[in-house]
Amino acid sequence: MYVGRIMHTNLITVKPETTIKQAMDLLKEHHIEHLVVLDDSGNLKGILSDRDVKANLASPATTFSTHELNYLLDQVTVGMIMVKHVITVTPGTTVEDAALVIRENEISSLPVMKEGRPVGIVTKTDVMGVLMDAIGLGEENERLIVLVRNRLGMIADITSRLRDEKINIASLITWPEKGLEGVYQLVIRVHGRDKARAINVLEAMDLKVITGYVEDHSAYVSD
C-alpha cells in the first residue's frame, strides 16, 4: 500500500497572510485538523494544525476579553505560527515508511508532494487505519501468537500445515521479540470458528500458543 492510494487530494489551503480567525473557520467548516500553506505561486510554505492554533492562543484566551481576543485573531496570521520546516512524502512512499516518519518526527500529518507541488495530505489517522486493516482488526478474527527462532522455512511450515487443515489465515505479521535475540513473534489471525482447530494444529507442531497477555514470553519460545 502506498501513500498515493490513501492520501486526501481535496486539499484545503491558505496563504501565509491568512488570519488565524479565517484559518480557524476553515478548520471548523471542513471538519479537518490541518491546513496546507501555499504562496501565490502554489509553493509549499508551511503547515498549520488545529493544535498549533490552540497552543498559540491558549494563554491569551485566558486573559483577554472577548473584544481583545477577536482583535488578536484578526492580527495574527498563519505565517506567524505555522510550521515552516515541513516534512513531506511522495505518492510512492509506502504506508509503513510514512508511519515511521510520523513516529520518528512526532508529527500528525505529511503533505504529499509530486514534482515539487503538493498533491495531497496523509494523516496519522489514515496510516493507522491502513495498518489496522492490514492486520485484520474489526473483523470476526481471533489473534494467536507463537514465538519462533528465525530459521529458514518456519513460516512456510506453519502456513502449509494450517492450509492442509483448511484453516484460512486472515493476516500474518512478524516482529522481533523484545529481549530475546533471534526470536520472532508470529501473530496469526484466523476466523473465530477456526480458533480451536488452529491451536490444535500449532500445538501438534510443538509450538506454544499465546492467546492473551503474558508478561514473560521466554517460556513460550519454540525451536
Side-chain angles (χ1 to χ4, degrees):
M1 180 64 75
Y2 294 90
V3 165
R5 299 291 300 275
I6 66 168
M7 66 182 182
H8 301 276
T9 57
N10 55 333
L11 283 178
I12 307 300
T13 66
V14 292
K15 296 179 180 180
E17 58 268 27
T18 301
T19 68
I20 293 302
K21 176 65 168 60
Q22 293 170 324
M24 291 173 62
D25 289 343
L26 283 172
L27 289 168
K28 183 177 180 180
E29 177 186 350
H30 295 280
H31 305 286
I32 55 177
E33 297 181 351
H34 304 86
L35 292 169
V36 177
V37 187
L38 306 179
D39 64 16
D40 290 333
S41 299
N43 299 311
L44 179 66
K45 304 302 292 183
I47 190 166
L48 181 75
S49 71
D50 61 343
R51 185 173 59 181
D52 297 326
V53 174
K54 292 173 183 176
N56 280 275
L57 295 181
S59 179
T62 60
T63 57
F64 285 10
S65 68
T66 300
H67 175 74
E68 290 171 327
L69 183 57
N70 286 335
Y71 176 79
L72 174 67
L73 294 177
D74 284 333
Q75 298 304 310
V76 178
T77 65
V78 167
M80 294 178 182
I81 68 170
M82 68 183 183
V83 175
K84 297 178 182 178
H85 176 63
V86 185
I87 300 171
T88 66
V89 291
T90 68
T93 302
T94 64
V95 170
E96 57 267 33
D97 282 342
L100 183 62
V101 171
I102 287 173
R103 187 187 71 173
E104 289 184 340
N105 292 281
E106 298 182 348
I107 54 179
S108 57
S109 68
L110 291 166
V112 185
M113 305 292 289
K114 181 179 180 181
E115 298 177 356
R117 297 286 182 172
V119 293
I121 189 169
V122 63
T123 69
K124 179 164 60 176
T125 301
D126 300 326
V127 171
M128 286 296 297
V130 171
L131 297 180
M132 289 173 67
D133 289 342
I135 62 176
L137 290 180
E139 301 175 9
E140 296 179 357
N141 298 323
E142 295 284 346
R143 185 177 191 263
L144 307 174
I145 299 175
V146 293
L147 274 69
V148 298
R149 300 197 181 279
N150 186 16
R151 72 165 179 81
L152 184 66
M154 174 57 77
I155 293 178
D157 290 346
I158 292 173
T159 57
S160 295
R161 190 71 68 89
L162 291 172
R163 178 205 60 199
D164 292 343
E165 295 297 325
K166 294 183 171 51
I167 297 173
N168 184 56
I169 298 174
S171 70
L172 188 153
I173 59 175
T174 70
W175 62 72
E177 174 64 17
K178 185 177 181 181
L180 295 174
E181 186 176 355
V183 175
Y184 283 75
Q185 285 193 31
L186 269 61
V187 182
I188 305 168
R189 286 187 177 271
V190 299
H191 195 282
R193 63 174 176 265
D194 295 326
K195 178 180 178 180
R197 286 198 303 125
I199 291 174
N200 289 336
V201 170
L202 295 169
E203 289 180 342
M205 298 177 65
D206 293 326
L207 298 172
K208 298 174 182 178
V209 183
I210 302 174
T211 59
Y213 173 71
V214 176
E215 186 170 348
D216 183 5
H217 281 181
S218 59
Y220 288 83
V221 180
S222 305
D223 293 324

